[in-house]
């Protein structure tokens, strides 16, 4: 009895093999690696920078948690008030009066043509007194009072950049699950790639680097007019300049943010984030693009095969095998990064996410205008 498979099934198998490679070499080993040390040197002071634009209510939640960080070596908080029209300035002045380690940088105007957040961060970094810098956003909170301690230990590996993980709060609804899955998958990529010696991005909600590495890149000079990229494009430039990256992904080192509550808000947020990818190094674009492309090609081919009943049995077999690979890689990441997504939802979220990603890519290609708040 002869046995043959259609070219489309062979293509489907090829895409699954690519996905198996990423799961076996990057994701699963990263998720199962030994825990990061609970103890380490805490003898270097740190500057924590927060850039805020009309974020008064968020700052009222964030700043007390930062001030309560358990870090004996000392730290300063630099609050950058970026053109706020609410009472951020008055709130910051009260903190400065009571806490000597809180400093305020006020930005009243951004020079024409420059990205507002990058300009504001540059002024804040110039004010920082310490060589080690940690960054988070005004709408984030540290997961524990050990956040600063965990993150700064990454510098001792030794490293010039410290890449952390920033999760989104869990809430009811499918959109929330999809946002958290996208965060999990993005984190799996940039953290595991960096762990394998191929860092390409970080997230400004939980990122550290030294003043020296910032100066080696001439700050944000290469992309100062690009709205996005104060985190990932800075990492790109720092690595190109010889900067070493460390990964700190223990739950105590996470930050937590409130997710978008509407599809439109999340769409705009992701468009802004993905727009910076065009400026990544070629090798990074190939590595990321191969992973994303293999997943998109898998789903596109699988949908096409639904119209050919003769291929339904091999299609089902390959789909089930691929689902097993997905769960074997994503569920350990799910546990390790503390996302707690229901395991039964992972295959569904994976499929929806990649079609959403395709729509975002088409949108960026057709309409490239971005707005900043």
């Amino acid at each position: 009895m002869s046995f043959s498979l259609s070219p489309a099934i062979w293509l489907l198998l090829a895409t699954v093999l690519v996905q198996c490679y990423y799961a076996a070499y990057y994701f699963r080993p990263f998720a199962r690696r030994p825990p990061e040390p609970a103890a380490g040197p805490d003898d270097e002071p740190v500057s924590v920078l927060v850039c805020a634009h009309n974020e008064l209510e968020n700052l009222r939640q964030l700043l007390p948690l930062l001030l309560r960080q358990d870090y004996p070596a000392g730290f300063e908080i630099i609050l950058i008030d970026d053109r706020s029209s609410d009472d951020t300035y008055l709130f910051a002045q009260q903190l400065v009066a009571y806490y000597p380690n809180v400093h305020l940088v006020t930005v009243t105007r951004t020079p024409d043509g420059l990205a507002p957040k990058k300009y504001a961060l540059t002024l804040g970094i110039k004010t920082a007194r310490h060589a080690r810098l940690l960054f988070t956003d005004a709408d984030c909170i540290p997961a524990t009072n050990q956040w600063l301690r965990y993150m700064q230990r990454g510098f001792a590996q030794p490293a010039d950049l410290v890449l952390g993980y920033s999760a989104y709060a869990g809430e009811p609804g499918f959109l929330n699950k999809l946002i958290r899955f996208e965060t999990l998958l993005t984190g799996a990529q940039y953290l595991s790639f960096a762990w394998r010696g191929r860092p390409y991005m970080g997230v400004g909600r939980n990122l550290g680097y030294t003043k020296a590495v910032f100066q080696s890149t001439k700050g944000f000079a290469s992309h100062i007019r690009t709205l996005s990229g104060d985190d990932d494009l800075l990492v790109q430039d720092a690595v190109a300049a010889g900067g070493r990256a460390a990964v700190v992904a223990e739950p105590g080192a996470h930050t937590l943010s409130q997710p978008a509550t509407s599809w439109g808000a999340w769409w705009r947020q992701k468009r802004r984030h993905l727009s910076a990818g065009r400026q990544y190094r070629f090798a990074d674009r190939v590595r990321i693009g191969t992973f994303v492309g293999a997943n998109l090609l898998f789903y596109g081919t699988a949908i096409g095969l639904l119209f050919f009943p003769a291929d339904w049995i091999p299609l089902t077999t390959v789909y089930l095998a691929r689902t097993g690979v997905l769960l074997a890689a994503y569920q350990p990441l799910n546990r390790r990064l503390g996302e707690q997504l229901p395991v039964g939802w992972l295959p569904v979220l994976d499929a929806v996410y990649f079609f959403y990603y395709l729509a975002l890519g088409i949108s960026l290609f057709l309409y490239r205008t971005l707005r900043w708040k």
Side-chain angles (χ1 to χ4, degrees):
M1 182 176 65
S2 62
F3 177 77
S4 63
L5 298 175
S6 70
I9 291 294
W10 285 112
L11 177 61
L12 202 68
L13 285 168
T15 65
V16 173
L17 287 176
V18 171
Q19 294 168 64
C20 286
Y21 165 74
Y22 281 87
Y25 184 72
Y26 290 110
F27 303 153
R28 189 171 171 82
F30 173 76
R32 297 173 64 87
R33 76 197 192 288
E36 291 152 14
D42 297 325
D43 54 359
E44 289 286 339
V46 183
S47 297
V48 180
L49 289 89
V50 180
C51 188
H53 175 76
N54 291 333
E55 298 274 10
L56 178 60
E57 295 307 314
N58 288 326
L59 290 172
R60 284 176 171 161
Q61 183 180 18
L62 169 64
L63 269 298
L65 296 176
L66 289 181
L67 288 165
R68 289 200 290 268
Q69 288 294 301
D70 176 22
Y71 191 66
F75 62 96
E76 64 173 355
I77 298 172
I78 297 176
L79 175 58
I80 309 162
D81 178 11
D82 181 18
R83 303 164 294 123
S84 297
S85 57
D86 58 11
D87 289 333
T88 294
Y89 178 80
L90 296 177
F91 174 69
Q93 288 285 23
Q94 293 173 344
L95 290 175
V96 169
Y98 283 100
Y99 298 97
N101 63 328
V102 177
H103 309 290
L104 174 64
V105 174
T106 303
V107 181
T108 57
R109 177 183 173 274
T110 301
D112 292 341
L114 302 188
K117 187 177 181 182
K118 293 175 185 177
Y119 177 73
L121 283 173
T122 299
L123 298 183
I125 291 170
K126 288 181 178 179
T127 304
R129 302 175 183 179
H130 305 310
R132 295 179 176 180
L133 312 172
L134 290 180
F135 299 83
T136 190
D137 284 347
D139 59 354
C140 294
I141 59 171
T144 69
N145 70 343
Q146 301 297 305
W147 168 74
L148 198 159
R149 188 189 291 262
Y150 269 109
M151 286 295 289
Q152 77 82 30
R153 286 175 187 166
F155 290 110
Q157 293 197 20
D160 310 292
L161 301 142
V162 181
L163 311 180
Y165 183 72
S166 185
Y168 283 105
E171 296 176 358
F174 181 77
L175 175 60
N176 179 265
K177 290 183 177 64
L178 185 59
I179 290 173
R180 288 162 54 208
F181 177 79
E182 185 273 336
T183 303
L184 172 70
L185 192 55
T186 300
Q189 291 175 77
Y190 77 81
L191 293 172
S192 68
F193 289 6
W195 181 63
R196 285 294 192 185
R198 298 177 177 89
Y200 72 91
M201 68 163 279
V203 291
R205 304 189 304 274
N206 197 4
L207 178 66
Y209 48 82
T210 64
K211 262 194 172 183
V213 84
F214 185 73
Q215 292 164 355
S216 73
T217 67
K218 296 184 172 66
F220 303 115
S222 70
H223 48 92
I224 192 65
R225 298 181 183 276
T226 303
L227 287 177
S228 58
D230 58 276
D231 42 21
D232 51 353
L233 296 184
L234 186 282
V235 171
Q236 286 277 314
D237 288 348
V239 171
R244 301 160 297 180
V247 171
V248 178
E250 293 303 305
H254 293 179
T255 60
L256 189 65
S257 302
Q258 289 298 317
T261 56
S262 71
W263 288 90
W266 191 48
W267 177 272
R268 291 188 293 272
Q269 182 187 74
K270 294 313 300 175
R271 270 179 50 87
R272 190 169 69 243
H273 292 168
L274 290 176
S275 66
R278 293 190 291 263
Q279 300 182 56
Y280 286 9
R281 291 169 297 173
F282 178 74
D284 293 326
R285 295 202 305 272
V286 169
R287 192 174 299 113
I288 301 163
T290 300
F291 173 72
V292 173
N295 281 275
L296 288 174
L297 190 56
F298 171 84
Y299 284 116
T301 305
I303 290 174
L305 286 171
L306 291 176
F307 296 95
F308 297 91
D311 287 322
W312 284 359
I313 292 177
L315 170 61
T316 302
T317 303
V318 174
Y319 180 82
L320 291 176
R322 191 257 184 188
T323 300
V325 170
L326 183 152
L327 294 177
Y330 290 178
Q331 181 57 11
L333 287 166
N334 190 25
R335 290 195 301 265
R336 186 64 185 266
L337 296 178
E339 285 295 346
Q340 298 181 346
L341 287 163
V343 63
W345 276 97
L346 294 178
V348 177
L349 294 169
D350 183 75
V352 174
Y353 166 70
F354 280 105
F355 285 111
Y356 194 85
Y357 193 102
L358 177 62
L360 279 169
I362 294 172
S363 171
L364 280 173
F365 178 77
L366 296 176
Y367 182 67
R368 301 187 180 190
T369 301
L370 295 172
R371 299 177 183 271
W372 201 260
K373 63 182 179 181

